[in-house]
Amino acid sequence: MKSDNCRTGMQQAPHRSLFNALGFTEEEMKKPMVGIVSSYNEIVPGHMNLDKIVNAVKQGVAEAGGVPVVFPAIAVCDGIAMGHIGMKYSLVTRDLIADSTECMAQAHQFDALVMVPNCDKNVPGLLMAAARINVPTVFVSGGPMLAGRVKGQKRSLSSMFEAVGSYEAGTMSEEDVKEFENKVCPTCGSCSGMYTANSMNCLTEALGMGLGGNGTIPAVYSERIKLAKKAGYAVMDMYHKNIRPRDIMTKEAIINALTVDMALGCSTNSMLHLPAIAHEVGFDFDISYANPISEKTPNLCHLAPAGPTYMEDLNEAGGVWAVMKELADAGLLNTDCMTVTGKTVGENIKDSVNRDPEVIRPLDHPYSKTGGLAVLKGNIAPDGSVVKRSAVVEEMMVHKGPARVFDCEEDAIAAIKGGKIVPGEVVVIRYEGPKGGPGMREMLNPTSAIAGMGLGSSVALITDGRFSGASRGASIGHVSPEAAVGGPIALIEEGDMIEINIPAMTLNVDVSDQELAARKEKWQPREPKVTTGYLKRYASMVTSGNRGAILETK
């Protein structure tokens, strides 16, 4: 046992005295020590139930012969952090979570781990940590929120942000906004559409690191408690079989996850997190892999904000494994990959059934023949940019319009809500990338304002920042290289004609190479927006969005 390093032998007598202080019995000192990484806190709605999940995991571990020991991980609520300085601190927590979990697990020599995350950055952060630590590890999330109901229709957080835009446009009353406010988030759990948290919890299943149902069983269902107990059993089985994260999170498993991503129509943030997870297992993931996979993978699901269905509907339809079965039957998945069940992907999904062909479209009747995401390149984004094309209306798949240029999110929001953006234009928000932000803020407020003001089918938005999974429309993010390092997005001027062609996967500004070169000669780096604390250190180490905003020392 790895934990023997701090529990066995005369040299470890001082260590054992400290375990005595913790109340460990002699019998417990002989059993595998399983760390349970709890993201529980009282500020994130998706985490307020994690104490119950953790207690169920502890029970499962103990029943299966292990000694459960809980330690914490932090988490930010992206919704609460949205639209102010707090959003600069969201993406950056992914690396804090990975680093701190690695520190705790290695310092105390745990034999195995159960990760209990739920929201946007602590799922990928803990997956990164699992790859580094490489002891038997199972993930069990807190589960998605149930959809709200407003005037007889299912609604979610994206509806709430768009309601604010509708109010600003004069098409919704204050009383209507208040009704949305009180009803769109009715339970604990990660917000109910295919936003980043639910995307990553679903992709954890696709990677093989979570049990079936991890991404879809609603937070308030008792089935979620059963799943947590089963996770405790599973990690002990993995321990005895010596199945480790790097046996599971292989290159083939990551390609599987990207394929499932395309079928589900996941958040564009997955194109930040999958490269970062791949980096931890030594796989140099180029976001351009997305396009050939997208070209052969049909989009089978249109969950909010792309469509009218929600995570609870996906769960009832058979969950992620039912989607994977559709893909596997078409030969689109590697079914030999190992998983936390101790079985292969193929063995796990062989009996899965699609119970609702409208929620999970069959392969011969997809929402589209291509996947949910696309990577666009061109003279604005030579290293790539990302769009959730499954959430783009048909008339915006190809668009050309004049640039309206803003050097921060706040200025763009003021212009949109002030009626200064008109149909046909392309809003450019720059200096919001990983370095420039710093922290690569999500742009849910401006995209929601565009949609809420009735401009979703006529105005595009491009940025070196990123988007919430709740964003919809012609929203193109992760433009790389970013403005802060002199990327071409920094050279766009007011009125330049921007050409977006999503089917052709291109993003260009109609300016000659010679003119762009002349502008580059005149370009000067901006003074850093933050010059103290963690964000300063982060900005000095982070790479552009096309590489997953991973941290590198020079």
Side-chain angles (χ1 to χ4, degrees):
M1 289 189 294
K2 186 176 182 179
S3 58
D4 286 346
N5 291 329
C6 54
R7 296 195 297 180
T8 301
M10 184 54 66
Q11 290 297 319
Q12 279 64 46
H15 305 68
R16 289 194 296 275
S17 69
L18 293 168
F19 280 105
N20 284 331
L22 290 168
F24 273 51
T25 65
E26 287 189 18
E27 291 79 8
E28 286 176 316
M29 294 288 280
K30 298 172 184 176
K31 295 179 180 179
M33 188 166 64
V34 180
I36 301 173
V37 186
S38 171
S39 301
Y40 170 77
N41 62 50
E42 295 182 343
I43 189 61
V44 183
H47 291 227
M48 60 185 284
N49 66 321
L50 294 191
D51 55 339
K52 296 175 178 60
I53 303 298
V54 166
N55 285 337
V57 173
K58 288 175 68 176
Q59 184 177 339
V61 168
E63 287 178 3
V67 180
V69 181
V70 179
F71 65 89
I74 64 169
V76 163
C77 176
D78 276 23
I80 293 174
M82 195 71 65
H84 55 85
I85 192 173
M87 182 46 67
K88 294 179 184 289
Y89 287 89
S90 171
L91 178 61
V92 305
T93 64
R94 184 187 71 184
D95 296 273
L96 278 175
I97 291 159
D99 293 349
S100 60
T101 302
E102 176 192 359
C103 290
M104 286 292 288
Q106 299 289 33
H108 302 104
Q109 294 291 283
F110 287 102
D111 297 299
L113 297 167
V114 179
M115 306 294 198
V116 187
N118 210 26
C119 290
D120 295 21
K121 307 310 168 298
N122 68 337
V123 181
L126 291 177
L127 284 164
M128 291 162 66
R132 292 181 196 174
I133 301 159
N134 203 35
V135 298
T137 303
V138 176
F139 277 67
V140 56
S141 78
M145 186 183 289
L146 294 178
R149 289 184 180 272
V150 181
K151 294 179 170 56
Q153 291 186 308
K154 286 185 177 180
R155 298 290 190 181
S156 62
L157 186 65
S158 55
S159 308
M160 182 71 254
F161 277 90
E162 291 179 15
V164 175
S166 298
Y167 173 77
E168 297 284 350
T171 58
M172 186 175 285
S173 69
E174 187 174 348
E175 291 74 21
D176 286 336
V177 174
K178 189 71 174 178
E179 184 178 6
F180 272 77
E181 185 179 327
N182 289 329
K183 293 182 177 179
V184 297
C185 296
T187 71
C188 63
S190 47
C191 297
S192 56
M194 188 54 82
Y195 310 148
T196 306
N198 293 326
S199 295
M200 294 310 302
N201 281 326
C202 288
L203 295 185
T204 299
E205 289 189 52
L207 280 168
M209 291 297 293
L211 300 174
N214 178 67
T216 61
I217 297 170
V220 294
Y221 283 13
S222 297
E223 190 66 26
R224 176 67 53 180
I225 301 297
K226 294 181 186 178
L227 186 73
K229 293 175 184 175
K230 291 176 182 176
Y233 305 155
V235 79
M236 292 308 299
D237 185 54
M238 289 178 71
Y239 170 77
H240 292 302
K241 294 176 178 176
N242 196 29
I243 300 172
R244 298 168 182 254
R246 290 184 203 165
D247 300 324
I248 296 170
M249 288 192 285
T250 60
K251 176 180 178 179
E252 293 75 18
I254 291 167
I255 296 299
N256 274 354
L258 184 56
T259 303
V260 174
D261 184 323
M262 295 300 171
L264 286 172
C266 290
S267 164
T268 52
N269 280 314
S270 63
M271 295 303 290
L272 282 175
H273 302 321
L274 287 176
I277 294 161
H279 177 72
E280 297 293 345
V281 297
F283 170 28
D284 187 11
F285 183 108
D286 187 316
I287 63 169
S288 296
Y289 291 156
N291 288 344
I293 290 174
S294 181
E295 286 303 294
K296 65 181 180 181
T297 306
N299 179 223
L300 304 180
C301 300
H302 258 196
L303 290 101
T309 53
Y310 294 81
M311 296 306 297
E312 62 203 64
D313 302 314
L314 179 59
N315 187 64
E316 293 303 315
V320 176
W321 282 11
V323 176
M324 293 174 71
K325 181 66 161 57
E326 294 278 357
L327 298 172
D329 286 348
L332 294 172
L333 288 185
N334 185 321
T335 55
D336 294 329
C337 293
M338 180 52 61
T339 74
V340 294
T341 65
K343 299 177 181 178
T344 65
V345 166
E347 290 171 318
N348 285 341
I349 66 175
K350 64 182 176 64
D351 296 323
S352 295
V353 175
N354 180 357
R355 302 189 192 97
D356 191 332
E358 274 306 303
V359 176
I360 305 171
R361 290 276 183 93
L363 286 164
D364 59 0
H365 182 51
Y367 283 100
S368 66
K369 293 181 180 180
T370 53
L373 299 180
V375 172
L376 313 185
K377 289 189 175 184
N379 65 358
I380 294 176
D383 291 340
S385 61
V386 182
V387 63
K388 186 173 182 176
R389 65 175 162 189
S390 60
V392 179
V393 294
E394 185 62 33
E395 53 265 44
M396 291 299 290
M397 297 296 279
V398 177
H399 180 76
K400 184 173 182 178
R404 298 298 310 280
V405 182
F406 304 93
D407 287 351
C408 67
E409 178 188 9
E410 289 83 356
D411 290 351
I413 292 171
I416 295 164
K417 292 186 175 180
K420 296 178 182 178
I421 303 300
V422 301
E425 294 181 331
V426 179
V427 176
V428 178
I429 306 177
R430 61 193 182 188
Y431 296 99
E432 290 285 7
K435 283 185 183 294
M440 203 178 187
R441 289 194 287 182
E442 288 184 342
M443 302 291 159
L444 179 56
N445 274 356
T447 59
S448 298
I450 287 169
M453 297 187 76
L455 298 171
S457 60
S458 60
V459 170
L461 191 156
I462 69 172
T463 180
D464 53 7
R466 61 194 178 94
F467 296 108
S468 165
S471 291
R472 63 187 176 101
S475 304
I476 301 164
H478 309 197
V479 170
S480 301
E482 62 173 293
V485 299
I489 191 173
L491 310 178
I492 297 172
E493 295 181 357
E494 190 83 3
D496 285 348
M497 295 301 291
I498 305 290
E499 299 177 352
I500 299 164
N501 191 322
I502 295 173
M505 300 175 184
T506 58
L507 177 64
N508 289 292
V509 58
D510 190 9
V511 173
S512 69
D513 292 345
Q514 293 82 359
E515 173 62 19
L516 286 176
R519 292 180 187 181
K520 183 65 183 286
E521 284 292 317
K522 298 176 184 177
W523 178 81
Q524 294 292 323
R526 301 295 175 91
E527 287 296 316
K529 294 178 183 176
V530 178
T531 58
T532 59
Y534 178 62
L535 287 180
K536 178 184 178 182
R537 296 198 302 276
Y538 181 87
S540 71
M541 298 171 68
V542 71
T543 62
S544 273
N546 68 299
R547 297 190 58 206
I550 61 171
L551 301 185
E552 285 188 335
T553 54
K554 295 291 186 287

